[in-house]
Amino acid sequence: MLSEKMVQLGTNRSVIRDLFEYGNKRKAEIGAENVFDFSIGNPSVPAPDCVKEAAVELLTKGDPVALHGYTSAQGDAGLRQKLAEYVNEQHGTNLTGDNFYITVGAAASLTISLKALAEPEDEFITFSPFFPEYRVFVEMTGSKLVVVPSDPKDFQIDCDLFEKAITPHTKGVILNSPNNPSGVVITEECLKKVCDILEKKQKEYGKEIFLIADEPYRELVYGDVKVPYLMNYYDNTIVCYSYSKSLSLPGERIGYIAVSDKAKDWKEVYAAVCGAGRALGYVCAPSLFQQVVARCLGKTADVSVYKKNRDLLYNALTEYGYRCIKPDGAFYLFVEALEEDANAFAERAKQYELLIVPADSFGTPGFVRISYCVSTEQIEKSLPAFQALVESYR
Ligand code: PLP
């Protein structure tokens, strides 16, 4: 007998992966330049030069044994110390290398953090729309994912609904800002309310409720928008970070977990993170890329390309009659489908070679997600197809 749940997860791909595979097939049939693939969040902007420079220097001048050898299970001590100094300088925190655990990207940061916290009967809250893998990650621990709909007018958190959703079983809250798929950055005002509610509920139930900040898009914001650093607002915070988007390194699988030094019994929380990393086999993230990111702290890929894409797509689509919120961050546009069933809408979009993701699995039916981390040229070429699609409904 096999695990039925795992067979099911392995057999039924996510809707995003399905569309991505369809896109590859379609590109082989009619040519890549004729398919407008907005399915997946794979950055089109290359990694900044520091990545190549660091990798070349390390590979040519570094100690090959150390470079390809194991580091400590929780990551190289030098990198963890540098990370602590960098985060302290950016956000005024008081972290040391012992607050950091290096991971293979945000997915691992999340699964490790959840595994570290979860006990039977626990619940984790998140806000829709949400990154669909949260359901998989939470349920894998035997816990329940509780979804609280965001305020439909601006996709900020609906604090009344949030407060009502917290129960004595709530172990944690997963908060993703800038958000995939809405592109919304949660305001400081809204965050403060969320933290007040959490403090109140911790007292009421006499237990810790952890805030898990999923932050792979922290640096991808446009204009003067600020992304508040959650450790400065709430003590029981665990930050899940990744270089997949900020340095355009999704395939290298590198990121980290930072446990706040103000969390209750933080050393024990950190020990649980190390234990979960061990139990899941997520020890010693790739050594070469640990060294590379250590040399690229504070650098990002060219975010101005995403801003240009956002402006181009948002302005054109709203002019054609589509309805969506202007995103402040990440690289997604979250658009109302032009018919009730977003799946039918996304199917119709395929007739125009537009690959857009229906948002049912993001917990918000009636919407589609458009990933604009593609070339600006692709967006320009796709605009007549978006116009034809909207006209087909008139
Ligand atoms: N969290 C969110 C909100 C994401 O959008 C993604 C990837 O797209 C991840 C986590 C996983 O990131 P990684 O590729 O670093 O594992």
Side-chain angles (χ1 to χ4, degrees):
M1 271 301 265
L2 301 172
S3 156
E4 239 176 76
K5 178 80 189 157
M6 293 304 135
V7 173
Q8 188 215 331
L9 278 177
T11 312
N12 305 325
R13 276 193 304 242
S14 78
V15 62
I16 303 172
R17 286 275 161 195
D18 251 355
L19 201 59
F20 179 65
E21 296 304 336
Y22 167 85
N24 288 340
K25 201 173 115 243
R26 195 71 187 130
K27 285 171 198 170
E29 284 165 6
I30 64 168
E33 67 286 1
N34 298 313
V35 181
F36 308 121
D37 186 352
F38 295 100
S39 63
I40 202 164
N42 213 358
S44 64
V45 177
D49 290 346
C50 63
V51 168
K52 187 174 166 191
E53 284 159 15
V56 168
E57 192 181 324
L58 286 160
L59 285 167
T60 51
K61 299 191 190 140
D63 169 359
V65 175
L67 199 56
H68 302 298
Y70 289 122
T71 62
S72 303
Q74 66 271 40
D76 175 70
L79 165 62
R80 290 186 292 115
Q81 184 54 33
K82 277 190 173 178
L83 273 173
E85 285 162 17
Y86 176 72
V87 173
N88 291 343
E89 183 197 306
Q90 292 293 306
H91 305 295
T93 45
N94 249 319
L95 305 172
T96 71
D98 291 340
N99 296 92
F100 287 82
Y101 188 99
I102 313 302
T103 66
V104 285
S109 302
L110 287 162
T111 47
I112 293 172
S113 301
L114 291 165
K115 180 85 179 158
L117 301 177
E119 292 174 296
E121 315 271 293
D122 275 350
E123 296 173 354
F124 289 87
I125 294 176
T126 201
F127 307 96
S128 61
F130 62 93
F131 179 53
E133 294 304 279
Y134 290 169
R135 185 173 295 289
V136 179
F137 298 164
V138 168
E139 291 179 357
M140 180 269 308
T141 69
S143 303
K144 184 174 155 200
L145 182 72
V146 175
V147 178
V148 175
S150 295
D151 187 336
K153 76 173 184 310
D154 54 8
F155 288 122
Q156 294 287 323
I157 291 167
D158 182 327
C159 286
D160 291 337
L161 288 183
F162 172 52
E163 183 160 1
K164 285 190 194 121
I166 302 174
T167 75
H169 294 296
T170 306
K171 177 57 70 71
V173 176
I174 308 174
L175 200 150
N176 169 223
S177 170
N179 181 267
N180 172 9
S182 71
V184 164
V185 175
I186 303 298
T187 64
E188 185 184 34
E189 188 194 353
C190 182
L191 276 178
K192 282 183 173 163
K193 284 190 200 149
V194 166
C195 296
D196 287 348
I197 292 168
L198 284 172
E199 296 288 3
K200 188 172 115 188
K201 289 290 178 181
Q202 287 196 133
K203 279 204 190 95
E204 185 180 330
Y205 297 135
K207 58 172 274 196
E208 282 71 57
I209 302 175
F210 291 88
L211 195 48
I212 301 173
D214 181 22
E215 304 204 327
Y217 302 96
R218 163 164 282 282
E219 289 81 10
L220 275 58
V221 284
Y222 313 117
D224 54 5
V225 176
K226 295 268 172 309
V227 185
Y229 201 64
L230 282 176
M231 281 188 195
N232 291 331
Y233 295 80
Y234 186 71
D235 289 350
N236 287 319
T237 292
I238 299 176
V239 173
C240 292
Y241 185 81
S242 161
Y243 293 96
S244 296
K245 319 287 173 169
S246 62
L247 284 179
S248 290
L249 294 176
E252 302 301 350
R253 314 308 299 137
I254 190 85
Y256 64 77
I257 296 167
V259 175
S260 173
D261 60 318
K262 291 190 255 159
K264 173 126 192 305
D265 299 328
W266 75 264
K267 288 188 178 163
E268 210 166 303
V269 178
Y270 183 78
V273 163
C274 294
R278 179 180 171 195
L280 293 169
Y282 281 149
V283 290
C284 176
S287 302
L288 172 60
F289 271 82
Q290 290 195 47
Q291 297 297 329
V292 170
V293 297
R295 291 165 183 232
C296 296
L297 297 181
K299 299 279 190 349
T300 64
D302 183 1
V303 176
S304 71
V305 178
Y306 299 134
K307 180 177 183 303
K308 191 169 164 198
N309 288 357
R310 177 202 64 167
D311 291 343
L312 183 62
L313 198 59
Y314 174 81
N315 291 341
L317 264 56
T318 49
E319 190 194 313
Y320 302 156
Y322 291 92
R323 297 207 309 189
C324 58
I325 287 171
K326 189 169 188 177
D328 282 323
F331 39 48
Y332 307 102
L333 201 63
F334 203 51
V335 180
E336 276 183 44
L338 297 174
E339 58 185 292
E340 205 178 327
D341 180 358
N343 292 286
F345 175 61
E347 265 317 295
R348 189 188 297 201
K350 279 185 187 167
Q351 293 170 19
Y352 301 86
E353 307 303 344
L354 290 168
L355 308 188
I356 56 182
V357 181
D360 295 44
S361 60
F362 296 88
T364 313
F367 283 77
V368 289
R369 186 192 78 171
I370 302 176
S371 294
Y372 59 80
C373 53
V374 296
S375 69
T376 307
E377 193 194 349
Q378 176 181 321
I379 296 182
E380 281 161 350
K381 278 185 71 184
S382 72
L383 295 181
F386 277 112
Q387 194 162 19
L389 176 62
V390 81
E391 271 160 20
S392 76
Y393 282 91
R394 290 197 174 124

